[in-house]
Amino acid sequence: MDVKDFITDKYAVLTIGDQQVKLPIVIGSEGEKGIDISNLRRDTGCVTIDPSFVNTAACYSRITFIDGEQGILRYRGIPIEELVNVGSFVRTAYLLVHGVLPDDEQNRKFSKLLNRHSMLHEDMRHFFDRFPSGAHPMHILSTMINAMAAFYPNVDLLSLSEDIDISSARLISTVRTMAAFAYKKSIGEPKVYPRQDLSFCANFLNMMFDSPVAPYDIKPEAVKILNILFILHADHEQNCSTTTVRTVGSAQVNLYATISAGVSALSGPLHGGANQAVIEMLTEIANDGNPKKFVERAKDKNNPSRLMGFGHRVYKTYDPRASIIREECRKFLDAMRYNDPLLDTARELEELALNDDYFISRHLYPNVDFYSGIIYRALGIPENMFTVMFALARLPGWIAHWKEMIGSNTKITRPRQIYIGKTPDNKQ
Ligand code: ACO
């Protein structure tokens, strides 16, 4: 169906002074209602004001559906619970970018491309040595992805005429290699190259943890849980970083520079950076031994602290990703016979918050970041790499949105404003 098929023959009527305008009502395929104001300024001279886009749909999209009241998340119409059962991040990536799950042949070809494009341009390896020790890996990652634009200058709008599988595979696979190299640099170990014989997630774990003196034992449970985490983080419609990707991409910026902007947006503690902040908070609580104090502090309007990993702009119920991660976290830790005291702290904190009127009345529940860090710890991934893990997983979503945006001939993103500053005669 075309976008115009979702515009109904019903209208909202807006009265401005003695002028009345009819604004078409749009109803999406899942029944979401919107008011189309695209001709409002032309017809009335007025704009709408919606800081932080709390009430604004910025685009039509066919990629991901969220029902924040019921806790539903589907990629291309498929519930995430089903995708987790399929258990393959590579298949999910293909689904997001192409709109359908791959058949075995398509999956084999895509996996082969991921392998073929897993190497980094050799000259880029030296970049890692120039970052100060202690640099945050998210800063290294966004810089390195941006630098790829210089090494692969032809990856601009031509990427759409090139097979999108090649552009996606090059990005998803190379960024995974970069992330592992950044980690090895931070601990002063030699970099481990990708291997053709390993699956996507197994390859990443091997590049992270293999060393010449201690070969890494790739455990199937670790590969499985990493696939699950990556699937659950692969897309989340118009969140801050995806909106950044669409906005930057709308200026027809090179795909790598566009994705680098998305990585920067993701690094903030109110967005992807929350998974690291959760572990820092849980560690502080476990050391202090008084979770109630932290709940009270998060409620105090004179204190900027929040309960990290709680609350969400869209979900007003339990985040469906958090429900799955909570359960999978327990199973994984049991299977690995890994006892993490932070899991008990997290559960205690959750229990306190979910029974507190402040959190109940504001519909604040655990989000995707609340339990994911505990799994990453059990995998041996250091805290400052948590947000990098999120970025790796979010790549297929960003690429799918970029592709959709470019393919729909979207105009350059350029909001209006209401100016309230000084005037030439300084009247305000
Ligand atoms: N702890 C304490 N209070 C909170 C929290 C929290 N984690 N989250 C929201 N609130 C309160 C706010 O203070 C506000 O209270 P008020 O109505 O009395 O002023 C109310 O709940 C609504 O919060 P907003 O900030 O208006 O909600 P918004 O949709 O803008 O923010 C956000 C959503 C940023 C996720 C917020 O809940 C938050 O800061 N959470 C902690 C950080 C976090 O976990 N981020 C990860 C989000 S998921 C992701 O990006 C992958």
Side-chain angles (χ1 to χ4, degrees):
M1 278 170 89
D2 199 60
V3 163
K4 63 179 179 342
D5 298 323
F6 295 97
I7 302 174
T8 68
D9 53 6
K10 298 191 171 55
Y11 295 90
V13 180
L14 178 68
T15 306
I16 306 172
D18 53 8
Q19 185 185 11
Q20 279 203 331
V21 278
K22 286 163 85 180
L23 304 167
I25 304 275
V26 173
I27 303 186
S29 52
E30 289 279 0
E32 287 171 307
K33 292 197 190 86
I35 300 170
D36 179 349
I37 58 152
S38 48
N39 294 327
L40 186 67
R41 188 169 179 280
R42 187 197 67 186
D43 295 344
T44 68
C46 287
V47 295
T48 55
I49 313 170
D50 185 21
S52 309
F53 305 130
V54 178
N55 303 285
T56 297
C59 62
Y60 292 90
S61 182
R62 293 183 161 85
I63 302 170
T64 288
F65 172 71
I66 302 176
D67 183 327
E69 268 68 38
Q70 295 191 59
I72 292 172
L73 172 59
R74 299 186 196 119
Y75 302 156
R76 303 285 190 181
I78 304 179
I80 46 156
E81 292 77 6
E82 262 179 52
L83 291 167
V84 162
N85 281 338
V86 172
S88 162
F89 173 64
V90 171
R91 282 182 187 269
T92 301
Y94 188 99
L95 168 75
L96 284 166
V97 175
H98 287 278
V100 287
L101 277 170
D103 59 27
D104 287 347
E105 179 57 15
Q106 289 163 328
N107 187 49
R108 196 189 58 76
K109 271 193 184 156
F110 190 48
S111 302
K112 214 170 152 189
L113 276 177
L114 285 167
N115 265 334
R116 189 183 308 151
H117 293 284
S118 58
M119 294 286 284
L120 208 56
H121 194 294
E122 198 61 11
D123 291 347
M124 288 188 84
R125 274 195 330 127
H126 307 299
F127 284 29
F128 289 95
D129 303 329
R130 296 290 171 264
F131 287 101
S133 57
H136 196 287
M138 278 299 269
H139 300 148
I140 300 181
L141 195 68
S142 59
T143 310
M144 295 297 288
I145 297 175
N146 208 357
M148 282 176 81
F151 285 88
Y152 303 97
N154 295 329
V155 184
D156 46 22
L157 285 182
L158 289 175
S159 305
L160 277 184
S161 53
E162 181 184 58
D163 186 344
I164 184 73
D165 276 353
I166 297 179
S167 316
S168 323
R170 198 188 287 124
L171 249 169
I172 295 171
S173 204
T174 321
V175 171
R176 174 194 55 174
T177 306
M178 272 179 198
F181 280 14
Y183 171 63
K184 286 294 193 189
K185 150 79 188 160
S186 73
I187 58 168
E189 278 190 10
K191 297 168 185 77
V192 176
Y193 281 83
R195 272 173 41 189
Q196 300 283 320
D197 59 319
L198 295 178
S199 69
F200 187 86
C201 288
N203 221 335
F204 176 69
L205 289 169
N206 190 62
M207 283 191 271
M208 287 283 290
F209 301 120
D210 191 45
S211 102
V213 289
Y216 178 63
D217 175 21
I218 306 171
K219 296 217 160 44
E221 294 89 348
V223 175
K224 181 179 168 206
I225 196 77
L226 196 57
N227 268 292
I228 292 176
L229 284 177
F230 278 9
I231 291 167
L232 293 175
H233 285 84
D235 191 44
H236 214 233
E237 49 118 307
Q238 311 308 320
N239 55 82
C240 179
S241 53
T242 302
T243 301
T244 303
V245 165
R246 281 190 176 254
T247 301
V248 174
S250 76
Q252 301 191 350
V253 169
N254 176 290
L255 177 59
Y256 294 122
T258 304
I259 297 293
S260 163
V263 171
S264 297
L266 188 73
S267 68
L270 294 190
H271 193 11
N275 55 13
Q276 179 177 344
V278 168
I279 293 297
E280 287 160 3
M281 175 190 75
L282 291 176
T283 308
E284 204 185 331
I285 296 175
N287 291 339
D288 182 84
N290 186 357
K292 224 170 171 176
K293 190 172 96 190
F294 285 80
V295 173
E296 291 308 315
R297 200 170 76 180
K299 288 158 56 177
D300 180 359
K301 292 292 167 201
N302 297 316
N303 192 316
S305 332
R306 289 191 160 188
L307 219 51
M308 300 311 285
F310 256 76
H312 198 275
R313 172 65 59 80
V314 180
Y315 293 119
K316 299 304 162 203
T317 183
Y318 216 105
D319 181 334
R321 301 167 299 174
S323 315
I324 298 173
I325 294 175
R326 187 183 197 276
E327 183 55 21
E328 293 297 334
C329 177
R330 188 192 54 76
K331 284 199 253 174
F332 178 61
L333 263 55
D334 286 352
M336 303 307 285
R337 295 197 172 84
Y338 182 92
N339 178 29
D340 189 342
L342 292 194
L343 181 57
D344 298 332
T345 308
R347 285 191 178 148
E348 199 180 338
L349 195 66
E350 180 186 346
E351 176 83 14
L352 281 172
L354 294 186
N355 288 299
D356 189 299
D357 274 350
Y358 174 96
F359 291 87
I360 297 169
S361 62
R362 288 169 179 77
H363 308 288
L364 301 171
Y365 294 86
N367 61 46
V368 67
D369 293 317
F370 196 64
Y371 285 102
S372 59
I374 296 177
I375 300 178
Y376 288 139
R377 268 161 66 94
L379 284 168
I381 291 165
E383 282 167 34
N384 67 356
M385 283 289 290
F386 288 2
T387 317
V388 170
M389 304 300 286
F390 195 153
L392 296 186
R394 186 52 60 85
L395 276 164
W398 287 331
I399 295 166
H401 282 274
W402 173 83
K403 183 185 166 208
E404 182 177 74
M405 185 268 307
I406 295 287
S408 58
N409 295 318
T410 310
K411 286 184 176 188
I412 187 169
T413 300
R414 204 306 186 183
R416 296 274 177 170
Q417 64 167 18
I418 301 291
Y419 179 68
I420 55 168
K422 287 185 178 163
T423 58
D425 49 5
N426 219 7
K427 283 183 201 149
Q428 280 196 65

